[in-house]
């Protein structure tokens, strides 16, 4: 069983997927922060490969890309970080990247190096199913899962195509827009999750806009197999820029809190039973 | 060839969140191409409002200087002062037919922003224009023009704060608001179907040129020259000539030289890459990070180029060259002095190349230069540069 499949097997509660930009604020600190995320309870780590033009991201994550690039983060160094994290932990690692760094390197080489470093999945954010064919063979050959996004605007027919090609899990975007923390989750998310779960056996991870314990609780209730938090973690990093000890401490506290929100619900018996309200 | 591909180039390299909007746009565009009411309305606006057709001016003095017959296609005389309005009227009318209630656009030099503001005002659609903060400073007059026509100009403070960052911001807005909003992309770049839509709306330049030159000279030109940033004016004038054996030349912004890092010549100095929705040629580093570009002409200051140009370069159907800032500035002054026409600094790149390309033509040779815009917007900048040089 792959590390990603294992992370989803026999779970009572949704898995917690934590995202950060690899190299934010610099490559060495980023490894420490990644290990902190894992220590705080992250079940799957998503590492963003910094790119000069992260058009799918909101301002918080875009600034993280800029910081990482200024600190000299390259794809080579990201693979180095994966290796460093892997030497301490077995947590599955998904690389979240824009296509140009992959294309420039060569898709075959990128997947071979990612697998060699210990990555488990690749999500290319600007590669919709129509353009994703070049990834199929390199992914199959290296055993790396291909993670795809599904948006609220994705048609039923395209959802099926995406689910056919996807492996590991599928990433349901909760709202129309770019990444970034939001006050409320959209209504109707539970129905979207259920319809994807009916179409395939792949776990459904829900992301974009999630920042609060009550969001996490609501998604538990809505039946998500995983929740993804990215911008909110990045914001904690940004708020404590210049004090690495504080970053580690605050990231740990924040992520532990979100993970506990999930467990508290379970203690209350509400993880997959009790009716909960999705804010907004 | 797959729909939306130009050889290997083009495609739809966008986040899943944009696919719904692109598919809707593609379907709507397919239907509107067959819609007589749409086509009639558009041709009315182009004729009665924008001032088409634009003249094809025979230039006596340049012809004498260069020893061949030189014509300028006068897109500088189109309402708004540049070719951009061909596309913005087309797309804004499309948005209207699609039931969209708001337009957004990116702009570099400000010409596309102005043209979008014009189209929005006349068609009654509110307009938000994203513009790099650096560009809002170097093109203050255009910011004011847009605001006069009721558009809101939103300065972009991310990345290099220029055109590419304005495109990123406009895309982000579109991702979040696609149901109500049409993204009026200004050049023949971006994901399918934009390169095709923009090419089609700009092809009116080449169609008129062909008709006009046949009336005047009884034959096709030997050479057609146009500047290339994203490449919309160039593809517009080239497209109708692609199968005619006419020598077509696209002129990129060499900046301070294509062997320096301060250039905008993606076809001459770049490599294949995926950027802002399309596979094309791109100025990038070895890791695929997009480089900051430079040109004296803000409208050519862009690290990529339309995917159809990438194919035309590979197939050899069009020859792409570059001229430097200095050569473009010389041509800017030359055309002003010799013909009393102040070209946009972008268009001055095409003029600059024409000045040396004429050697290949004899006295009966015919050259058409696409004068894609007028230079009023650049006059203050050039005056400042001359002051700095003096």
């Amino acid at each position: 069983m792959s590390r990603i499949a294992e992370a989803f097997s026999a779970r009572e509660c949704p898995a917690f997927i934590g995202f950060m930009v690899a190299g934010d604020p610099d490559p060495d600190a980023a490894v420490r922060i990644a290990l902190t995320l894992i220590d705080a309870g992250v079940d799957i780590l998503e590492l963003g490969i910094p790119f000069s033009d992260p058009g799918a991201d909101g301002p918080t994550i875009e600034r993280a890309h800029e910081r990482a690039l200024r600190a000299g983060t390259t794809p080579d160094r990201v693979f180095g970080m994966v290796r460093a994290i892997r030497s301490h932990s077995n947590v599955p690692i998904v690389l979240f990247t824009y296509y140009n760094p992959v294309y420039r390197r060569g898709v075959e080489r990128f997947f071979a190096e990612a697998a060699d470093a210990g990555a488990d999945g690749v999500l290319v954010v600007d590669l919709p199913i129509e353009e994703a064919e070049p990834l199929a063979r390199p992914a199959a050959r290296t055993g790396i899962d291909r993670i795809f996004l599904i948006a609220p605007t994705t048609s039923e027919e395209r959802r099926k195509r995406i689910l056919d090609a996807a492996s590991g899990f599928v990433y349901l975007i909760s709202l129309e827009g770019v990444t970034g923390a939001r006050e409320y989750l959209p209504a109707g998310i539970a129905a979207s999750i259920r319809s994807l779960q009916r179409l395939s056996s792949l776990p459904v991870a829900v992301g974009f806009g999630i920042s609060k314990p009550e969001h996490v609780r609501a998604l538990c209730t809505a039946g998500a197999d995983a929740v993804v938090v990215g911008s909110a973690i990045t914001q904690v990093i940004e708020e404590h820029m210049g004090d690495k000890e504080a970053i580690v401490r605050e990231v740990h506290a924040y992520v532990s809190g979100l993970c506990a929100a999930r467990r508290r619900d379970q203690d209350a018996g509400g993880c997959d039973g009790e009716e909960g309200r999705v804010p907004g | 060839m797959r729909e939306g591909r130009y050889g290997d180039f083009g495609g739809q390299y966008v986040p899943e969140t944009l696919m719904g909007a692109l598919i809707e746009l593609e379907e709507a565009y397919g239907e509107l191409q067959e819609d007589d009411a749409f086509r009639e309305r558009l041709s009315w606006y182009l004729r009665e409002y924008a001032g088409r057709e634009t003249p094809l001016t025979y230039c006596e003095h340049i012809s004498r200087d260069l020893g061949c017959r030189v014509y300028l296609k006068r897109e500088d005389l189109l309402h708004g002062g540049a070719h951009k309005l061909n596309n913005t009227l087309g797309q804004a009318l499309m948005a209207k037919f699609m039931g969209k209630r708001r337009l957004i656009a990116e702009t570099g030099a400000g010409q596309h922003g102005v043209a979008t503001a014009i189209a929005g005002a006349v068609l009654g659609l509110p307009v938000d224009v994203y513009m790099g903060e650096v560009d809002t400073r170097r093109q203050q007059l255009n910011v004011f023009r847009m605001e006069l026509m009721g558009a809101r100009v939103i300065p972009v403070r991310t990345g290099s704060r220029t055109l590419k960052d304005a495109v990123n911001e406009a895309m982000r807005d579109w991702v979040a608001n696609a149901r109500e909003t049409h993204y009026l992309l200004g050049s023949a770049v971006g994901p399918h179907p934009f390169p095709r839509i923009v090419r089609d709306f700009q092809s009116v330049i080449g169609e008129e040129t062909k008709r006009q030159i046949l009336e005047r000279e009884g034959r096709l030109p030997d050479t057609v020259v146009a500047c290339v940033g994203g490449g919309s004016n160039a593809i517009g004038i080239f497209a109708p000539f692609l199968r005619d054996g006419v020598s077509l030349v696209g002129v990129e912004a060499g900046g301070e030289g294509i062997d320096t890092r301060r250039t905008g010549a993606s076809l001459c100095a770049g490599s294949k890459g995926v950027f802002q929705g399309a596979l094309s040629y791109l100025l990038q580093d070895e890791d695929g990070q997009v480089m900051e570009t430079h040109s004296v002409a803000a409208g050519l200051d862009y690290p990529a180029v339309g995917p159809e140009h990438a194919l035309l370069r590979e197939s050899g159907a069009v020859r792409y060259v570059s001229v430097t800032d200095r050569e473009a500035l010389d041509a800017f002054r030359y055309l002003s002095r010799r013909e009393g026409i102040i070209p946009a600094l972008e268009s001055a790149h095409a003029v600059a190349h024409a000045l040396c390309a004429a050697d290949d033509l004899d006295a009966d040779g015919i050259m058409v230069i696409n004068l894609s815009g007028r230079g009023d917007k650049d006059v203050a900048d050039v005056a400042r540069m001359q002051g700095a040089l003096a």
Side-chain angles (χ1 to χ4, degrees):
Chain A
M1 193 187 284
S2 74
R3 276 188 287 253
I4 290 178
E6 221 167 288
F8 283 105
S9 71
R11 292 199 69 87
E12 296 271 309
C13 279
F16 191 95
I17 303 179
F19 168 91
M20 64 180 288
V21 174
D24 175 30
D26 64 67
D28 290 337
V31 171
R32 255 191 92 193
I33 297 168
L35 293 172
T36 303
L37 289 174
I38 294 167
D39 189 51
V42 158
D43 301 297
I44 296 175
L45 180 67
E46 232 179 54
L47 287 180
I49 297 182
F51 183 52
S52 51
D53 293 81
D57 284 294
T60 306
I61 289 180
E62 180 176 37
R63 286 193 296 274
H65 281 265
E66 287 175 6
R67 286 194 294 272
L69 287 174
R70 268 202 306 277
T73 311
T74 60
D76 276 333
R77 298 197 73 169
V78 174
F79 292 135
M81 282 180 242
V82 172
R83 236 177 234 108
I85 296 162
R86 188 52 77 227
S87 70
H88 289 95
S89 163
N90 250 331
V91 158
I93 297 173
V94 172
L95 295 174
F96 184 108
T97 184
Y98 287 80
Y99 189 42
N100 199 48
V102 180
Y103 178 83
R104 180 73 168 158
R105 207 169 185 85
V107 176
E108 295 277 350
R109 181 180 157 203
F110 182 92
F111 274 81
E113 290 176 345
D116 187 56
D120 302 280
V122 169
L123 191 168
V124 185
V125 64
D126 52 354
L127 212 55
I129 189 71
E130 285 79 358
E131 306 290 354
E133 182 54 32
L135 266 51
R137 278 179 53 188
R141 195 170 303 150
T142 52
I144 285 188
D145 283 321
R146 283 202 297 164
I147 317 298
F148 282 92
L149 298 167
I150 288 180
T153 49
T154 307
S155 68
E156 174 92 4
E157 183 243 323
R158 294 186 68 258
R159 284 175 189 232
K160 285 180 183 155
R161 272 183 77 187
I162 293 167
L163 290 166
D164 275 346
S167 58
F169 61 92
V170 66
Y171 188 142
L172 174 65
I173 298 168
S174 61
L175 45 80
E176 290 172 42
V178 294
T179 58
R182 308 290 204 280
E183 198 61 27
Y184 295 107
L185 292 178
I189 194 78
S192 305
I193 294 168
R194 271 197 303 277
S195 92
L196 287 179
Q197 286 165 338
R198 268 198 301 274
L199 287 172
S200 112
S201 57
L202 279 181
V204 177
V206 183
F208 279 37
I210 297 160
S211 61
K212 299 173 174 216
E214 53 265 40
H215 296 160
V216 173
R217 265 196 294 278
L219 286 171
C220 282
T221 312
D225 298 300
V227 296
V228 191
V229 178
S231 296
I233 292 172
T234 303
Q235 209 164 316
V236 175
I237 295 173
E238 185 169 60
E239 276 163 13
H240 298 88
M241 202 50 58
D243 182 352
K244 285 174 189 161
E245 296 308 317
I247 293 178
V248 166
R249 189 177 64 239
E250 297 301 323
V251 163
H252 194 280
Y254 177 68
V255 172
S256 307
L258 292 180
C259 288
R262 191 181 52 156
R263 294 202 185 89
R264 202 157 51 228
D265 228 33
Q266 183 190 24
D267 293 342
C271 192
D272 53 5
E274 186 184 303
E275 200 58 36
R277 197 181 68 90
V278 180
Chain B
M1 200 188 302
R2 234 192 73 204
E3 188 74 7
R5 284 277 172 180
Y6 305 91
D8 286 342
F9 300 105
Q12 294 181 309
Y13 296 91
V14 297
E16 181 58 29
T17 41
L18 262 186
M19 283 305 294
L22 290 178
I23 291 167
E24 184 196 359
L25 185 61
E26 192 178 346
E27 288 172 357
Y29 182 61
E31 284 166 23
L32 288 174
Q33 278 179 305
E34 311 294 319
D35 184 331
D36 290 340
F38 174 78
R39 285 169 22 185
E40 276 163 31
R41 283 283 293 283
L42 179 57
S43 83
W44 186 90
Y45 277 107
L46 288 174
R47 191 178 62 241
E48 302 295 330
Y49 180 76
R52 298 215 76 91
E53 63 181 35
T54 60
L56 183 70
T57 306
Y58 176 71
C59 295
E60 201 184 323
H61 304 290
I62 304 183
S63 295
R64 200 180 309 139
D65 290 352
L66 299 187
C68 64
R69 303 180 63 75
V70 179
Y71 287 87
L72 297 179
K73 179 59 176 164
R74 301 294 304 281
E75 294 301 296
D76 61 318
L77 294 180
L78 193 67
H79 179 41
H83 72 291
K84 293 291 185 186
L85 193 65
N86 299 323
N87 172 50
T88 58
L89 280 175
Q91 284 198 49
L93 197 59
M94 253 177 78
K96 195 105 177 157
F97 272 65
M98 288 169 74
K100 302 292 177 186
R101 287 206 273 266
R102 170 179 174 248
L103 298 175
I104 54 171
E106 81 297 337
T107 197
Q111 291 305 96
H112 174 59
V114 166
T116 306
I118 292 171
V122 72
L123 291 169
L125 290 166
V127 173
D128 284 340
V129 178
Y130 290 94
M131 188 170 185
E133 194 186 37
V134 170
D135 292 331
T136 60
R137 272 189 264 113
R138 53 182 175 184
Q139 299 289 345
Q140 284 174 3
L141 194 59
N142 271 343
V143 173
F144 187 63
R145 288 167 85 196
M146 287 183 263
E147 288 172 348
L148 263 180
M149 291 182 283
R152 186 163 63 132
V153 179
I154 304 171
V156 175
R157 298 193 172 86
T158 53
S160 58
R161 305 179 183 207
T162 59
L163 177 56
K164 76 178 177 79
D165 310 287
V167 174
N168 287 340
E169 277 312 307
M171 291 263 187
R172 289 182 178 123
D173 183 319
W174 201 35
V175 166
N177 301 298
R179 285 175 205 269
E180 301 259 298
T181 300
H182 175 65
Y183 176 23
L184 209 166
L185 188 56
S187 193
V189 300
H192 173 70
F194 282 112
R196 207 181 103 211
I197 292 175
V198 176
R199 190 259 323 260
D200 289 354
F201 286 139
Q202 292 295 359
S203 292
V204 64
I205 305 172
E207 284 153 13
E208 282 179 12
T209 302
K210 201 169 189 174
R211 197 168 60 237
Q212 289 167 318
I213 200 78
L214 285 173
E215 277 167 18
R216 306 279 275 285
E217 295 279 353
R219 71 175 182 93
L220 294 176
D222 297 290
T223 302
V224 175
V225 185
C227 67
V228 178
S232 71
N233 88 84
I235 204 71
I237 196 165
F238 292 164
F241 290 103
L242 280 172
R243 286 182 189 81
D244 294 335
V246 174
S247 158
L248 305 172
V249 185
V251 187
E252 292 197 298
E256 293 177 6
I258 57 172
D259 47 357
T260 72
R261 288 177 70 95
R262 288 178 59 76
T263 181
S266 29
L267 288 166
C268 294
S271 52
K272 285 185 188 179
V274 173
F275 180 62
Q276 291 179 340
L279 173 60
S280 186
Y281 274 77
L282 179 63
L283 292 163
Q284 59 183 328
D285 71 12
E286 64 275 16
D287 287 322
Q289 307 296 351
V290 181
M291 282 165 39
E292 293 191 8
T293 54
H294 166 79
S295 168
V296 70
L300 305 183
D301 200 349
Y302 183 67
V305 64
E308 192 167 3
H309 286 293
L311 173 64
L312 294 173
R313 173 190 187 267
E314 282 215 339
S315 70
V318 177
R319 196 159 61 89
Y320 294 90
V321 298
S322 69
V323 306
T324 62
D325 286 350
R326 185 166 287 275
E327 290 166 320
L329 282 165
D330 287 346
F332 177 86
R333 295 189 193 98
Y334 169 82
L335 189 67
S336 305
R337 197 173 58 244
R338 290 299 276 155
E339 299 289 348
I341 296 171
I342 302 174
L345 280 174
E346 291 78 9
S347 321
H349 283 71
V351 176
H353 174 75
L355 295 181
C356 47
D359 291 348
D360 301 340
L361 299 178
D362 58 27
D364 296 327
I366 303 168
M367 175 158 56
V368 174
I369 304 168
N370 195 14
L371 201 73
S372 55
R374 67 175 183 226
D376 305 46
K377 69 181 175 62
D378 298 312
V379 168
D381 242 15
V382 174
R384 238 189 330 270
M385 281 183 256
Q386 277 182 337
L389 290 172

